[in-house]
Amino acid sequence: MPQLKSNSNLTGALFALWPAVGPWTTQNFQPTSDQAAVTAYLMLLNSHAPVVIDMQNAGIVSFPSYHVVLAILSATALRSIRSLRAPAWILAELICISTVLTGWHYAIDVSGGLVVAIVSISIVSQIAL
């Protein structure tokens, strides 16, 4: 768990310096009700007002995209099953693309997720040898 806590601390520090709520704040489209709730909660966290923890929005992490990390790691884990190899990679690619197109992540979040997944796979490959 120390690594997870360290990632959360790093993410919190980066958000304090550069509050990136979501692409809907800088691009020309309306946020969904969930995205609007995330925006309101993150802005409240960044204010000086007391905050009641909202478990619906408390686990928000934008960078890196853990959706992308999990999609790539899952597709990698399924590569040895021939009948699932192509569908798993197609689904992983669609997840990577859709996180940007639906406005939940910036492209840099997806890039960060790809880097985390690739580094993780490389480390495990070295350990498994």
Side-chain angles (χ1 to χ4, degrees), residues 8-108:
S8 298
N9 291 337
L10 177 62
T11 302
L14 292 174
F15 178 75
L17 294 172
W18 300 287
V21 174
W24 59 88
T25 61
T26 58
Q27 297 172 6
N28 193 17
F29 64 90
Q30 291 295 318
T32 65
S33 60
D34 288 338
Q35 291 167 332
V38 166
T39 301
Y41 188 67
L42 287 176
M43 290 300 107
L44 184 61
L45 289 174
N46 205 28
S47 73
H48 296 289
V51 177
V52 175
I53 294 177
D54 175 1
M55 294 311 289
Q56 288 287 73
N57 297 313
I60 298 167
V61 176
S62 180
F63 182 85
S65 171
Y66 285 102
H67 289 98
V68 169
V69 173
L70 293 174
I72 299 299
L73 293 179
S74 297
T76 301
L78 293 171
R79 73 178 172 218
S80 64
I81 303 171
R82 183 177 294 251
S83 62
L84 294 178
R85 186 179 304 151
W89 279 107
I90 290 169
L91 182 59
E93 290 172 15
L94 290 172
I95 289 170
C96 293
I97 293 166
S98 70
T99 58
V100 175
L101 293 181
T102 59
W104 280 105
H105 285 284
Y106 292 98
I108 190 71

